[in-house]
Amino acid sequence: MYSNSIRDLALYIHIPFCKSKCIYCDFLSFSGRESHFDAYFAALFDEIEKSAAKCDGVPVRSVFIGGGTPSLAGAARIEQLMQHLRRHFGIRQDAEVSIEINPGTACAEDFIGYKNAGINRISFGLQSADNGLLKSMGRIHTFEEFKDAYKNAKNAGFDNTNVDLIFGIPGQTKEQFEDTLSVVTDLKPSHISAYSLIIEPDTKLEEMISRGDINEPSDADDRAMYKLCREYLAKKGYKQYELSNFAKEGKECQHNIRYWVGGEYLGFGLGAASLYGGKRFNNTDDFCEYIKGNNKICDEIVLTKDDMMNEFMMLGFRMADGLSRELFYERFGCDYIDVFWENLKRLKDQGLVEENEIGNFALTEKGLDFGNDVFREFI
C-alpha cells in the first residue's frame, strides 16, 4: 500500500483562498482576498525555489495542492505552479499529484488545464448530497453542480477521483447520510473520505451551537452514521484502509498515507507544516508578511528518536492494516513490540487493540470508536 522508502518526499502546497468560509472551518483560509492572488503565487514560487536546494535531489513521490480552495485560483495559476515545482524538484514519473476542488469553482476547461499540468488525482469537497444541508453549512455549491464538475473531470480523463463527505452534521439524519452514500457510490469514484464533523473552537458553528441556534449531534447518532458508512462502502467495494478513508483496490491516497506512516514532507504556502531532516516546523501564518516574501519559520521542533517512535505509533494506529513492524524496524532498528509492550498490553486488555493476521497491532472494532484513547497512550 505504501513505500517503505525513507529517502523520498511528499510536497504539500497551501492555497488559502476561499469564496466564502464554511461555518465549521477552522483552516487557515480567507475569503475576499482575490486581489492578492498574483502576490501570493509570486511569494509561493519564491519559497519553492529557495527550499529546493535543501532536498539534494530527493525524489518526490506525491504532491497535494490543498486549501482553502485551490480551484478558486484558476487553472492557469495551477499550471504555472506545477511547472515551477517540476523545475526545482525531482517529481517522479509515477508520482500521485492531487488537487482539491470545490464544485462551485471549476469549469470544464479548468479540468483540461489540470490534466495538461500533470495533475492525476482530483479530490472533490462535496460533504453532502442534500442541498439543504449544504446551504446550512455555508457550502457555495449544490449537489447538481458537483455532478456537473464530476462529469467534467471524467471527460477530461481523470480516473482517480476522491469525494469528501461529512457526517454528524447538525440536523442530518441517518437516512440523509445513506442517501448521500448511495448517490455518490453510483458515480463510482475511486476513493471516498468520510469525516465526522468536529466542532472546532472559534468557528461560526461553535458560536451557533453556544447560542442554541442549532443542536449539537449526539455521539450515538455520530457513531451510528460511522458504522453505516463502513458497512455501506464495504458492500460497494471500497476497502477501509484508514479511519476515515475508503478506496477501490490500488487507489489509496499515497500522499495522506505518507503522513500516517511518518514519512518526510515539505509544506509550501501560508502556515504550511513540514517534517524534514528530523525537524517539524511551520511557515508563518501572517498573510501580509508572507506575500511580501517574509516567510518566517515558526514552531521548529527537533525530534528525538523517542519523539519519532511515539508519533509513528500514534499516527500508525489510524491505518486499518495496523502498525507496520517492518517499517518501524527499517526506520528505528528495533521492534515496536519490545519498545512499547506495556502500552500495547494495557490497550489490549481494554479491548482497544489486537494483533492481526499479518502480525501487526491494529485497532479493534471497539478501538475504532475510542481511537483517541489509543492515541493518547503515545503523546
Side-chain angles (χ1 to χ4, degrees):
M1 184 186 299
Y2 52 81
S3 167
N4 279 355
S5 174
I6 57 175
R7 292 308 303 160
D8 56 24
L9 187 62
L11 305 180
Y12 174 78
I13 319 297
H14 186 57
I15 312 297
F17 302 100
C18 288
K19 193 170 181 180
S20 66
K21 193 91 166 174
C22 298
I23 67 170
Y24 55 85
C25 180
D26 72 335
F27 292 166
L28 184 59
S29 60
F30 312 94
S31 60
R33 298 196 184 184
E34 289 86 348
S35 62
H36 296 290
F37 276 157
D38 289 340
Y40 183 82
F41 274 81
L44 181 62
F45 294 166
D46 184 59
E47 183 196 354
I48 289 168
E49 184 174 351
K50 289 177 178 176
S51 298
K54 74 174 71 170
C55 299
D56 194 27
V58 176
V60 172
R61 185 170 291 274
S62 68
V63 178
F64 197 101
I65 305 169
T69 307
S71 48
L72 192 62
R77 289 189 180 90
I78 300 301
E79 289 184 72
Q80 292 173 355
L81 170 62
M82 289 304 304
Q83 290 168 4
H84 208 74
L85 287 172
R86 286 199 165 86
R87 190 175 303 131
H88 295 288
F89 285 91
I91 299 177
R92 293 166 53 113
Q93 285 292 108
D94 61 348
E96 176 192 87
V97 185
S98 305
I99 185 170
E100 289 183 333
I101 301 292
N102 183 305
T105 61
C107 64
E109 290 75 16
D110 289 329
F111 290 102
I112 294 170
Y114 301 145
K115 192 71 173 177
N116 291 338
I119 292 170
N120 53 33
R121 184 175 183 272
I122 300 289
S123 182
F124 288 101
L126 170 60
Q127 316 314 351
S128 175
D130 185 284
N131 286 334
L133 290 174
L134 290 176
K135 185 176 181 180
S136 73
M137 289 190 290
R139 301 295 294 175
I140 64 170
H141 62 87
T142 64
F143 179 62
E144 291 71 28
E145 287 173 319
F146 159 75
K147 286 195 293 183
D148 287 343
Y150 187 87
K151 180 181 177 181
N152 289 334
K154 286 293 186 179
N155 289 341
F158 287 99
D159 62 359
N160 194 1
T161 54
N162 170 62
V163 179
D164 279 349
L165 302 177
I166 293 177
F167 59 89
I169 302 167
Q172 183 184 38
T173 65
K174 188 176 176 182
E175 290 72 26
Q176 284 174 314
F177 184 50
E178 185 168 7
D179 286 343
T180 289
L181 292 172
S182 175
V183 295
V184 168
T185 54
D186 283 348
L187 294 171
K188 297 181 170 57
S190 51
H191 189 286
I192 294 174
S193 298
Y195 301 103
S196 173
L197 181 63
I198 298 174
I199 301 165
E200 300 287 1
D202 302 319
T203 59
K204 188 174 181 180
L205 175 61
E206 184 202 37
E207 180 184 338
M208 292 169 73
I209 290 174
S210 297
R211 288 199 309 258
D213 296 342
I214 55 177
N215 295 322
E216 184 175 353
S218 71
D219 288 342
D221 287 344
D222 179 90
R223 291 299 84 190
M225 290 187 202
Y226 183 51
K227 182 179 180 182
L228 165 68
C229 180
R230 295 178 60 233
E231 293 175 349
Y232 193 99
L233 293 181
K235 290 176 183 176
K236 293 291 185 175
Y238 292 88
K239 179 184 176 183
Q240 183 177 18
Y241 68 97
E242 190 270 344
L243 286 178
S244 302
N245 287 274
F246 307 79
K248 295 290 189 179
E249 186 67 32
K251 295 297 186 179
E252 300 87 356
C253 179
Q254 295 304 308
H255 185 85
N256 285 343
I257 289 174
R258 187 81 188 175
Y259 298 145
W260 300 320
V261 300
E264 291 188 317
Y265 55 91
L266 285 176
F268 299 112
L270 186 73
S274 299
L275 173 63
Y276 189 78
K279 297 178 181 179
R280 187 181 299 283
F281 50 94
N282 298 323
N283 285 354
T284 182
D285 61 4
D286 187 320
F287 184 84
C288 292
E289 288 300 308
Y290 185 83
I291 63 174
K292 292 177 185 176
N294 301 327
N295 178 33
K296 181 181 178 182
I297 298 301
C298 307
D299 306 321
E300 183 173 279
I301 299 173
V302 178
L303 299 172
T304 66
K305 182 179 179 180
D306 284 346
D307 291 334
M308 290 186 280
M309 287 193 296
N310 275 289
E311 285 193 6
F312 185 100
M313 301 295 287
M314 182 176 65
L315 294 172
F317 265 121
R318 298 187 64 91
M319 303 295 291
D321 286 342
L323 295 152
S324 169
R325 294 175 70 179
E326 177 186 359
L327 185 55
F328 189 94
Y329 190 88
E330 177 185 344
R331 198 162 291 169
F332 303 112
C334 52
D335 190 327
Y336 66 68
I337 291 180
D338 295 331
V339 179
F340 293 105
W341 174 244
E342 290 301 322
N343 308 79
L344 293 171
K345 184 177 184 302
R346 185 157 48 246
L347 293 169
K348 187 176 180 180
D349 289 345
Q350 295 174 56
L352 299 176
V353 306
E354 63 186 358
E355 195 168 1
N356 62 20
E357 65 277 1
I358 58 176
N360 295 337
F361 269 84
L363 295 180
T364 61
E365 285 291 317
K366 179 181 177 182
L368 289 171
D369 284 333
F370 295 93
N372 287 338
D373 293 341
V374 176
F375 307 148
R376 277 193 288 269
E377 277 285 332
F378 307 99
I379 294 176

